[in-house]
Amino acid sequence: ETGVTQTPRHLVMGMTNKKSLKCEQHLGHNAMYWYKQSAKKPLELMFVYSLEERVENNSVPSRFSPECPNSSHLFLHLHTLQPEDSALYLCASSLLAGVPYEQYFGPGTRLTVT
Amino acid sequence: QKEVEQDPGPLSVPEGAIVSLNCTYSNSAFQYFMWYRQYSRKGPELLMYTYSSGNKEDGRFTAQVDKSSKYISLFIRDSQPSDSATYLCAMSSRALMNRDDKIIFGKGTRLHILP
């Protein structure tokens, strides 16, 4: 198991629900990331935080709202999602943001929107 | 044209064979190239990282970058059943990230090593 944990591992939610995904890293890293992995599509970078400041937002819909209260914790708040948002959501961390700093991934949260 | 193209497979090879995995890309600004391995129900893990053109070797793995052809490869020698996984290529144009930077991933190739 890596030093990046994610909860919950599985989540089923309705389109009107509000839920949050949690990520925690125990590696002393300063950068954290949210990725979306859909079947038959490339891994998509959603958000990047460096020293708790957001440095990248790849035009993600506003129904996804990230929060990084400190360098060890990252949240993804979800509301009024669509069925096409069903995917594996991966969190990662690295010493600093970007390459060549190795990103360590968590196991992901499998999200199903009904 | 997609920024990164990667054959999704599946690719099945017998144990002990040499495996060749490839990606092509269109953005000539890419300078940083990575290969990730992802086992089922796990997050990706970084296997190899190379900067610019050339080869890099690490044990049974060799990463090769040909920037003139916009083509990168990962070779696995003496393949083992434990190498069965999905392999993702990824690339980026710059080192430290700012708002204009991206890390672009391929779709991944599923590899099966047959005992």
Side-chain angles (χ1 to χ4, degrees):
Chain A
E1 192 67 67
T2 67
V4 180
T5 58
Q6 290 187 245
T7 54
R9 293 293 305 272
H10 300 272
L11 177 63
V12 179
M13 61 186 287
M15 293 168 61
T16 57
N17 291 158
K18 288 185 180 181
K19 297 284 184 184
S20 296
L21 310 184
K22 180 182 176 182
C23 176
E24 187 172 356
Q25 58 97 359
H26 312 275
L27 301 168
H29 289 167
N30 296 296
M32 297 188 77
Y33 311 74
W34 279 117
Y35 286 89
K36 177 183 179 182
Q37 189 171 39
S38 305
K40 299 181 181 177
K41 291 181 72 176
L43 196 61
E44 299 172 63
L45 179 62
M46 300 175 72
F47 300 102
V48 181
Y49 277 83
S50 177
L51 297 170
E52 300 140 49
E53 180 181 330
R54 189 194 305 179
V55 296
E56 171 120 4
N57 172 357
N58 280 312
S59 302
V60 178
S62 59
R63 57 187 184 268
F64 296 92
S65 175
E67 179 189 1
C68 187
N70 55 62
S71 59
S72 299
H73 294 86
L74 185 65
F75 296 89
L76 187 63
H77 303 300
L78 316 171
H79 65 96
T80 59
L81 294 191
Q82 305 298 311
E84 61 263 29
D85 296 323
S86 298
L88 181 68
Y89 288 85
L90 291 159
C91 173
S93 71
S94 61
L95 184 61
L96 293 174
V99 297
Y101 299 99
E102 180 175 353
Q103 293 184 29
Y104 292 80
F105 284 82
T109 294
R110 174 70 61 186
L111 174 67
T112 303
V113 181
T114 60
Chain B
Q1 184 182 11
K2 293 177 183 171
E3 281 197 278
V4 178
E5 299 266 12
Q6 183 176 12
D7 188 333
L11 177 64
S12 298
V13 299
E15 184 176 355
I18 296 175
V19 175
S20 173
L21 303 167
N22 312 293
C23 287
T24 58
Y25 63 94
S26 59
N27 188 345
S28 57
F30 288 144
Q31 297 191 75
Y32 300 87
F33 304 92
M34 294 145 284
W35 286 97
Y36 285 82
R37 178 176 62 197
Q38 185 173 19
Y39 290 114
S40 180
R41 299 189 185 88
K42 300 274 190 180
E45 55 179 328
L46 182 67
L47 268 182
M48 301 283 286
Y49 154 75
T50 50
Y51 168 70
S52 195
S53 284
N55 292 1
K56 185 173 184 179
E57 190 173 318
D58 184 2
R60 297 185 294 111
F61 298 90
T62 299
Q64 200 169 75
V65 175
D66 182 349
K67 289 188 70 180
S68 62
S69 302
K70 299 191 181 69
Y71 188 87
I72 68 170
S73 300
L74 177 71
F75 297 97
I76 308 174
R77 290 183 299 281
D78 187 25
S79 55
Q80 305 294 312
S82 59
D83 296 326
S84 298
T86 297
Y87 289 80
L88 309 168
C89 64
M91 42 200 83
S92 178
S93 57
R94 292 172 60 152
L96 293 182
M97 192 164 287
N98 62 41
R99 289 188 184 275
D100 298 324
D101 297 332
K102 300 183 224 181
I103 297 176
I104 306 296
F105 285 81
K107 289 184 179 181
T109 299
R110 284 192 296 136
L111 173 66
H112 298 294
I113 306 298
L114 306 170

